[in-house]
């Protein structure tokens, strides 16, 4: 929200107050509270008016400083609040004298100048950012509104990222961002997943701890500041010190929650009925059998909305006209090795038998006069489940539980964005704060049921809406994109923005949801889709089975589906890191290379895990431009080497995509390509890329989160040594680009199109390279 009229004046009707000096400093247990009047105090006579800023500094975790600013403290505290995890908190160091007050958490300090208000956030001796005079403010507006505003200085060259899933340019500088969930597709400023957290390339991130509407002006009102404000009497935010983007994400997710580890099968190919298409069991079988006949491994089949009868969503009852034997049908599909997903949402149509039940029991949102809140958008007479009511959550979960009993494995938890504010909640929650927060309760209800029934490591949803903390309930997909190259690019931007907002896993509709892609677009989108953490074929009015496009689409889909299956030892390692540390599987280049100015604005390529660079092709003719960071990078598919740093322009066929291995990386590649879930260590091949002198790489293929084996690869001069503990059956090493071998101990070497392949005979393998 903008309050100023240029640099010198405020807008009409806007009346600001700013802290001027610190009158009192009150140390408390782990806190430092400052009282800062909005005027100079010359004598006692001045202390008979306001406003006075109450600023509490705290340290919920090391390297994290909390700032809570309050005007009137007499407001009734109403839910919701974000659930934060502060078990790792340590006692901060506090200090105050006549000139300064300071609180230190780990390597991060906030220092307040007492005589002339100023807050500096400092790491070591480096000032990360500052809230200076007239940055922090209480603002009265002409509509009797009260806002708390904060502004932090943006240093020269500081770029801002995140704030949830946003589809415009990856760098937020110059943008206005409203944290307010909306069902607006992927081509507007609206977003399904709004997260009031941003990170920078300057060593810090900021999380605004407010579940309702937060307005951000990122260098868009005052071009040298990032501004955030709430229409409230108080504002709390946390400044998080990195220093790297990965460190910031690690600490932010420690505070707000780390993602659960999805099951291995969920990383395979998902195929759906599409939405508004006609389908029955015969149609479903034709899709499943068609994929099998064409040797395309399929992991999950998803039934979209019309598994239920029209204008009855959701009643959680199979439409008997098209699916007369759902239990038998699911049994038959699961016998083919498939997992089953069903579409759901948190809305109850008036026609649904659950409407009367929910109304009678008080499980639906009500207007202040007691009426059930309803409208006709999406479903006639639609009502909304009140997830603040524990009985309503149990009621909703019980309907899903019955579906699990007949063979359903997971749910696509769609919608949850258009949540009304003219309602009353069971627990007295503030409707404005609940608008964004609703999706947390919705998805937590579904995910908790799956975790209870299936166990840790087996629960997964396919969710569209999100707020802070929803990263704990993977996976999220990018919403309603379109069948165009432009939408393919905006989809990637949205995904990278989301993963820079604390989300470890992400997917999207391959080929676009709205419209029907051309065969060329579909084939270009496939590598991007399969080289994402999760992969789904889904559309609106048209099917997404590849043979409906052309035969080459079949070949391309087969190629990349099987490639992803072979990459699962590597990808599941990345998944474990996301689960354990909060570092996403898909990463914008700046997350890995924050000090490389060429990476600051890159949003058409990304890193998949630590060591694979992916540059999707956004043109039918196959031309692609991408940036290669320093070092010798290797094309994973061909073995061709590229010396960075440099920009590369290439032309790729439909069966290829820029997929480059990082210098010095050791990538475990599985022995199987017919599905994502198998013993990743058995028969694994370690692809070794440009291992430099002195480099030591540890590779730990895991399954269900447990290490299957650990490999340590090291180079000392001309000797490469690999140790396996324990040594799995049939493990191998592929020295990519190395063909001159002097000797091998512990194995036997053969030529390979990419280099030299060595079959290990025990737990230790030593290779001496021939000198040039």
């Amino acid at each position: 929200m903008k309050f100023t009229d240029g640099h010198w004046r405020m807008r009409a009707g806007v009346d600001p107050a700013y802290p001027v000096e610190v009158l009192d400093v009150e140390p408390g247990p782990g806190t430092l509270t400052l009282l800062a009047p909005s005027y100079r105090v010359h004598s006692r006579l001045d202390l008979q008016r306001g406003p006075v800023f109450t600023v509490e500094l705290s340290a919920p975790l090391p390297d994290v400083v909390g700032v809570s600013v309050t005007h009137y403290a007499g407001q009734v505290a109403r839910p919701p609040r974000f659930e934060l995890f502060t078990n790792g908190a340590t006692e901060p160091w506090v200090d105050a004298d006549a000139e300064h007050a300071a609180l230190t958490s780990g390597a991060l300090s906030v220092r307040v100048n007492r005589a002339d208000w100023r807050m500096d956030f400092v790491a070591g001796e480096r000032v990360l950012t500052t809230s200076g005079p007239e940055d922090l403010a209480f603002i009265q507006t002409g509509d009797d509104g009260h806002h708390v505003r904060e502004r932090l200085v943006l240093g020269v060259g500081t770029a801002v990222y995140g704030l949830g899933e946003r589809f415009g340019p990856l760098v937020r500088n110059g943008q206005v961002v409203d944290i307010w969930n909306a069902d607006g597709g992927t081509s507007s400023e609206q977003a399904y997943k709004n997260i009031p957290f941003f990170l920078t390339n300057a060593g810090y991130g900021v999380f605004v701890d407010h579940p309702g509407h937060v307005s951000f002006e990122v260098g868009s009102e005052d071009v040298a500041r990032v501004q955030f404000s709430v229409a409230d009497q108080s504002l709390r935010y946390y400044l998080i010190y990195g220093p790297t983007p990965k460190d910031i994400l690690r600490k932010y997710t420690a505070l707000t929650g780390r993602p659960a580890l999805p099951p291995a099968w969920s990383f395979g190919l998902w195929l759906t009925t599409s939405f508004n298409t006609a389908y029955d069991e015969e149609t479903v079988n034709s899709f499943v059998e068609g994929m099998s006949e064409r040797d395309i491994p399929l992991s999950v089949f998803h039934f979209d909305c019309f598994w239920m009868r029209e204008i009855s969503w959701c009643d959680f009852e199979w439409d008997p006209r098209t699916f007369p034997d759902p239990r038998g049908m699911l049994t038959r599909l699961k016998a083919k090795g498939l997992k089953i997903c069903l579409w759901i949402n948190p809305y109850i149509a008036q026609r649904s038998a659950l409407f009367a039940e929910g109304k009678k029991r008080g499980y639906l949102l009500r207007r202040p006069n007691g009426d059930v809140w309803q409208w006709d958008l999406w479903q006639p007479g639609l009502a909304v489940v009140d997830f603040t009511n524990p009985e309503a959550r149990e009621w909703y979960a019980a309907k899903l539980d019955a579906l699990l009993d007949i063979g359903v494995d997971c749910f696509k938890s769609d919608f949850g964005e258009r949540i009304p504010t003219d309602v009353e909640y069971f627990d007295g929650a503030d409707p404005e704060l609940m608008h964004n927060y609703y999706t947390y309760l919705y998805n937590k209800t579904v995910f908790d049921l799956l975790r209870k029934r299936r166990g840790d490591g087996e629960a997964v949803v396919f969710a569209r809406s999100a707020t802070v903390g929803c990263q704990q309930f993977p996976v999220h997909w990018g919403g309603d994109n379109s069948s165009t190259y432009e939408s393919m690019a905006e989809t990637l931007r949205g995904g990278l923005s989301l993963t820079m907002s604390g989300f470890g896993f992400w997917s999207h509709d391959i080929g676009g949801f709205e419209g029907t892609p051309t065969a060329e677009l579909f084939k270009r989108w496939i590598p991007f889709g399969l080289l994402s953490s999760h992969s789904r074929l889904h559309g609106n009015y048209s099917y997404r089975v590849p043979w409906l496009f052309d035969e080459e689409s079949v070949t391309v889909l087969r190629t990349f589906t099987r490639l992803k299956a072979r990459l699962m030892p590597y990808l599941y390692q990345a998944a474990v890191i996301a689960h354990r540390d909060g570092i996403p599987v898909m990463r914008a280049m700046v997350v890995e290379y924050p000090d490389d100015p060429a990476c600051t604005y890159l949003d058409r390529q990304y890193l998949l895990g630590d060591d694979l660079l992916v540059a999707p092709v956004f043109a039918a003719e196959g031309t692609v431009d991408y940036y290669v960071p320093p070092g010798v990078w290797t094309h994973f598919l061909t073995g061709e080497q590229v010396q960075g740093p440099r920009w590369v322009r290439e032309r790729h066929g439909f069966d290829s995509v820029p997929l480059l291995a990082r210098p010095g990386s050791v990538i475990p590649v599985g022995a199987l390509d017919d599905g994502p879930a198998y013993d990743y260590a058995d028969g694994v091949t370690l692809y070794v890329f440009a291992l430099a002198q002195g480099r030591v790489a540890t590779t730990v293929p895991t399954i269900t989160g447990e290490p299957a084996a650990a490999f340590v690869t090291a180079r000392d001069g001309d000797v490469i040594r690999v140790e396996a503990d324990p040594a799995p059956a049939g493990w191998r090493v592929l020295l990519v680009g190395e063909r001159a071998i002097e000797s091998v101990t512990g194995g036997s070497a053969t030529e390979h199109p990419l280099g030299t392949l060595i079959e290990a005979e025990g737990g230790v393998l030593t290779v001496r390279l021939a000198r040039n």
Side-chain angles (χ1 to χ4, degrees):
M1 180 174 181
K2 289 182 170 64
F3 300 100
T4 59
D5 178 10
H7 182 64
W8 309 111
R9 303 173 60 188
M10 303 304 293
R11 295 191 174 196
V14 173
D15 182 19
Y18 312 108
V20 173
E21 62 180 81
V22 177
L23 179 67
D24 272 329
V25 178
E26 300 175 359
T31 64
L32 198 60
T33 301
L34 316 173
L35 296 178
S38 57
Y39 45 83
R40 290 287 176 190
V41 177
H42 303 287
S43 70
R44 293 179 178 179
L45 293 177
D46 294 321
L47 297 172
Q48 299 176 32
R49 58 190 173 91
V52 171
F53 289 73
T54 302
V55 180
E56 183 182 275
L57 307 178
S58 61
L61 291 176
D63 296 336
V64 180
V65 166
V67 180
S68 181
V69 184
T70 302
H71 186 188
Y72 295 146
Q75 282 187 311
V76 175
R78 299 177 68 188
R81 298 298 306 183
F82 291 131
E83 181 183 8
L84 303 182
F85 301 89
T86 58
N87 296 335
T90 57
E91 191 71 16
W93 178 79
V94 296
D95 182 45
D97 56 31
E99 295 183 355
H100 299 91
L103 179 142
T104 299
S105 172
L108 175 65
S109 297
V110 54
R111 299 176 185 171
V112 181
N113 189 65
R114 295 189 63 170
D116 295 290
W117 175 265
R118 177 187 176 95
M119 281 196 302
D120 290 321
F121 296 90
V122 183
E125 294 304 314
R126 183 167 73 94
V127 176
L128 301 173
T129 187
T130 295
S131 172
E134 299 190 0
D135 283 332
L136 182 61
F138 297 144
I139 298 178
Q140 296 289 145
T141 54
D143 56 359
D144 294 325
H146 183 281
H147 300 259
V148 185
R149 185 201 70 187
E150 177 64 296
R151 299 191 304 193
L152 300 175
V153 171
L154 285 175
V156 176
T158 297
V160 174
Y161 306 89
L163 296 175
E165 173 192 51
R166 318 220 75 84
F167 305 104
L170 186 65
V171 175
R172 300 275 87 88
N173 298 49
Q175 299 181 32
V176 178
V177 176
D178 286 304
I179 302 300
W180 192 253
N181 284 357
D183 177 4
T186 65
S187 59
S188 76
E189 79 283 0
Q190 296 181 355
Y192 305 100
K193 308 167 190 68
N194 289 268
I195 311 297
F197 162 75
F198 66 84
L199 61 80
T200 72
N201 62 348
Y204 69 93
V206 173
F207 163 44
V208 179
D209 184 11
H210 191 284
H213 184 193
V214 185
S215 179
F216 284 87
E217 298 282 344
V218 188
S220 49
E221 181 168 14
D222 186 312
V223 298
R225 284 164 172 76
V226 58
Q227 170 180 303
F228 42 93
S229 61
V230 297
D232 210 332
Q233 293 291 331
S234 63
L235 169 68
R236 181 187 296 117
Y237 69 93
Y238 298 95
L239 192 133
I240 304 167
Y241 172 59
T244 70
K246 290 168 75 172
D247 292 327
I248 297 166
L249 288 170
R250 190 177 290 113
K251 294 165 189 177
Y252 168 73
T253 56
L255 182 64
T256 61
R258 299 260 167 80
L261 182 63
W265 55 260
S266 72
F267 290 79
L269 181 61
W270 297 48
L271 175 63
T272 86
T273 57
S274 290
F275 172 29
N276 278 303
T277 52
Y279 49 85
D280 54 15
E281 183 173 359
E282 181 180 358
T283 309
V284 171
N285 284 330
S286 72
F287 291 166
V288 172
E289 291 165 6
M291 299 289 274
S292 177
E293 291 166 358
R294 292 165 175 84
D295 292 325
I296 301 173
L298 188 61
S299 297
V300 183
F301 192 85
H302 166 74
F303 291 84
D304 216 59
C305 313
F306 282 98
W307 69 272
M308 292 177 282
R309 190 169 181 173
E310 68 277 1
I311 69 171
S312 300
W313 307 335
C314 286
D315 62 3
F316 305 111
E317 297 288 340
W318 291 84
D319 185 346
R321 300 168 302 177
T322 49
F323 301 107
D325 179 24
R327 182 186 293 270
M329 177 181 64
L330 297 191
T331 299
R332 291 185 286 274
L333 288 172
K334 292 173 76 68
K336 300 174 182 178
L338 293 172
K339 299 292 185 178
I340 302 299
C341 177
L342 290 186
W343 176 92
I344 60 171
N345 72 27
Y347 309 141
I348 308 295
Q350 184 168 290
R351 181 183 182 181
S352 167
L354 301 186
F355 179 85
E357 187 179 339
K359 175 184 176 183
K360 179 180 179 180
R361 296 183 181 182
Y363 295 164
L364 306 176
L365 289 184
R366 295 182 180 274
R367 297 185 185 275
N369 67 358
D371 294 343
V372 171
W373 186 94
Q374 291 181 265
W375 68 353
D376 287 329
L377 189 61
W378 179 241
Q379 291 285 277
L382 173 152
V384 181
V385 177
D386 183 354
F387 285 106
T388 71
N389 184 337
E391 291 185 4
R393 292 199 298 271
E394 292 178 7
W395 172 73
Y396 188 88
K399 307 302 179 185
L400 304 184
D401 205 14
L403 295 165
L404 299 180
D405 283 339
I406 67 169
V408 174
D409 297 286
C410 58
F411 298 102
K412 172 185 169 181
S413 47
D414 205 351
F415 288 80
E417 303 93 359
R418 287 191 175 125
I419 304 303
T421 56
D422 54 337
V423 292
E424 291 184 345
Y425 282 88
F426 172 85
D427 71 345
D430 184 314
E432 193 269 346
L433 300 181
M434 276 297 300
H435 173 84
N436 292 336
Y437 192 80
Y438 182 91
T439 183
Y440 178 84
L441 297 179
Y442 164 40
N443 278 292
K444 186 176 190 301
T445 298
V446 179
F447 197 86
D448 283 351
L449 169 67
L450 291 166
R451 184 154 42 192
K452 176 182 176 182
R453 285 292 305 269
R454 301 293 188 235
D456 287 332
E458 282 297 314
V460 65
V461 295
F462 222 84
R464 189 174 75 174
S465 57
T467 187
V468 172
C470 282
Q471 68 268 12
Q472 298 171 85
F473 320 127
V475 169
H476 292 80
W477 101 95
D480 296 349
N481 51 14
S482 300
S483 298
T484 66
Y485 286 104
E486 292 78 11
S487 191
M488 182 179 166
E490 73 200 17
T491 294
L492 175 56
R493 293 195 297 268
L496 295 180
S497 183
L498 186 68
T499 62
M500 296 181 84
S501 304
F503 286 70
F505 305 94
W506 174 77
S507 187
H508 49 95
D509 291 342
I510 296 171
F513 174 74
E514 292 284 355
T516 300
T518 63
E520 290 75 20
L521 173 60
F522 185 66
K523 287 178 286 192
R524 292 300 180 196
W525 207 312
I526 286 171
F528 169 36
L530 271 298
L531 293 171
S532 299
S533 86
H534 286 73
S535 309
R536 184 176 77 156
L537 296 167
H538 182 60
N540 188 352
Y541 291 98
S542 55
Y543 304 123
R544 290 292 181 269
V545 288
W547 53 90
L548 295 181
F549 296 93
D550 61 19
E551 282 306 308
E552 190 177 29
S553 295
V554 173
T555 301
V556 173
L557 184 60
R558 181 193 306 117
T559 296
F560 285 98
T561 302
R562 290 187 176 274
L563 173 64
K564 186 175 188 183
R566 293 182 62 231
L567 286 174
M568 277 302 297
Y570 169 79
L571 293 174
Y572 208 70
Q573 270 187 221
V576 171
I577 292 171
H579 164 64
R580 185 188 65 209
D581 298 332
I583 310 301
V585 174
M586 299 176 67
R587 308 166 194 172
M589 297 296 293
V590 72
V591 172
E592 214 53 56
Y593 294 95
D595 297 324
D596 187 339
C599 293
T600 302
Y601 292 90
L602 295 183
D603 58 13
R604 296 198 304 273
Q605 62 186 80
Y606 57 94
L607 284 172
L608 182 63
D610 290 333
D611 295 321
L612 286 177
L613 186 158
V614 183
V617 179
F618 296 102
E621 72 277 7
T623 302
V624 56
D625 297 299
Y626 61 94
Y627 172 73
V628 178
V632 178
W633 291 70
T634 306
H635 281 272
F636 186 87
L637 300 177
T638 66
E640 180 184 353
Q641 292 186 334
V642 181
Q643 175 70 57
R646 58 173 290 204
W647 279 91
V648 176
R649 171 168 289 183
E650 294 174 347
R651 191 170 186 137
H652 284 257
F654 292 113
D655 61 348
S656 178
V657 69
L659 176 64
L660 279 69
R662 193 173 190 161
S665 61
V666 178
I667 296 178
V669 177
L672 301 179
D673 65 358
D674 59 353
Y678 56 93
D679 185 339
Y680 297 145
D682 189 9
V684 69
T685 301
L686 304 181
Y687 281 48
V688 180
F689 294 93
L691 199 67
Q693 163 66 24
R695 165 82 167 140
V696 179
T698 301
T699 310
V700 188
T702 65
I703 186 70
T704 65
E706 297 298 324
F711 300 89
V712 177
T713 305
R715 180 167 182 172
D716 183 6
D718 294 326
V719 176
I720 296 176
R721 179 181 174 89
V722 186
E723 298 182 12
D725 183 24
W731 70 281
R732 307 184 299 177
V733 172
L734 177 59
L735 300 179
V736 180
E738 299 285 358
R739 300 188 184 278
I741 305 298
E742 181 176 302
S743 65
V744 175
T745 304
S748 57
T750 57
E751 292 185 4
H752 185 278
L754 297 181
T756 301
L757 181 65
I758 304 167
E759 303 274 352
E761 296 171 350
V764 180
L765 186 63
T766 303
V767 181
R768 181 174 293 277
L769 304 177
R771 293 180 181 271
N772 293 330

